[in-house]
Amino acid sequence: MRRYGPAVLLALLGAAILRVSLFGELYLRYVQAGLRPYLVVSGAALVLLGAAVAVVTNRADHDHDHGDGGGHAGHGHGPGGPRVAWFLTVPALALLLFPPPALGSYSAEREAARSAARGVGTFPALPPGNPVDLTLGEFGSRAVYDSGRSLDGRTVRLTGFVTRGDGTWYVTRLLVSCCAADATAARAEVRGAQAPPADTWVTVTGRWHPEGGLGSDAAWPPVVDAASVRRVPQPDNPYEKR
């Protein structure tokens, strides 16, 4: 059985990838939705490769036994190395049985405050009606860089998870370009409402509270005066596209 370790490891890795990408929306914790087909193909390829390695290993053992004429009952390795190698299956089993949660407040708090490198400009008009649903990324961009002040007088609705600061709290979302590894934080300071526990998902409805000059460090993070804060379930896709 020891010789089948690589085959088992490949099959477990493939099964773990298929589990998060094919059965449900768990893959959205790691990559953008458009990459799902590549995950499915990769997982299936690993499972098939594991099966092929098992077949080749079985044939090699069969040929070896015939070559020895059945005279050697044990051609195993030393007791240490192969047994230790089986521990390589632990990460694959952990991913298969217990997929990790989406990135949360710890990752967001490590993100440094943005610089005003993008510059100030005019943004397209917001759709009519209040409240207007905005991503945290769009709200932050308009609050910090929009010379047209499109947020003035508008009620916005922002959804994200709770992070804490020194006496303040934020509604936060992580932005990704490709996968969770390149995530950066977008957040808005919430005033006028009591902070829920960290990592709680909430929808905040309120109005932009201007702080600092356009494009300045003092304008970041943007501030929202909350009219209501409502707890909501974590969405299937916890990230925003950058």
Side-chain angles (χ1 to χ4, degrees), residues 139-211:
F139 177 73
S141 296
R142 288 177 179 268
V144 178
Y145 303 108
D146 184 10
S147 59
R149 298 283 185 169
S150 58
L151 293 175
D152 277 342
R154 301 301 303 272
T155 300
V156 298
R157 188 159 50 203
L158 311 171
T159 296
F161 57 89
V162 175
T163 56
R164 301 291 190 95
D166 294 332
T168 59
W169 70 279
Y170 307 90
V171 57
T172 305
R173 204 75 177 254
L174 291 171
L175 285 64
V176 300
S177 295
C178 172
C179 58
D182 64 18
T184 58
R187 62 182 183 174
E189 180 183 340
V190 181
R191 296 180 184 173
Q194 187 174 359
D199 289 314
T200 303
W201 280 83
V202 296
T203 293
V204 177
T205 303
R207 291 202 170 193
W208 172 49
H209 184 114
E211 291 278 352

Side-chain angles (χ1 to χ4, degrees), residues 19-113:
R19 186 205 170 184
V20 301
S21 60
L22 195 57
F23 306 105
E25 307 296 330
L26 283 173
Y27 74 99
L28 291 172
R29 297 180 179 180
Y30 311 101
V31 299
Q32 288 285 355
L35 296 179
R36 184 180 199 174
Y38 300 99
L39 285 179
V40 173
V41 170
S42 298
L46 285 171
V47 171
L48 292 175
L49 183 59
V53 170
V55 170
V56 171
T57 301
N58 182 64
R59 287 180 178 174
D61 286 345
H62 184 268
D63 293 342
H64 189 274
D65 289 342
H66 279 278
D68 287 346
H72 297 285
H75 48 271
H77 301 279
R83 290 177 183 173
V84 172
W86 279 98
F87 283 103
L88 294 174
T89 63
V90 173
L93 280 173
L95 181 60
L96 183 62
L97 300 175
F98 310 105
L103 300 180
S105 61
Y106 176 73
S107 300
E109 288 164 2
R110 295 183 62 189
E111 177 67 19

Side-chain angles (χ1 to χ4, degrees), residues 110-128:
R110 295 183 62 189
E111 177 67 19
R114 291 179 176 179
S115 64
R118 281 183 285 180
V120 174
T122 302
F123 283 59
L126 289 171

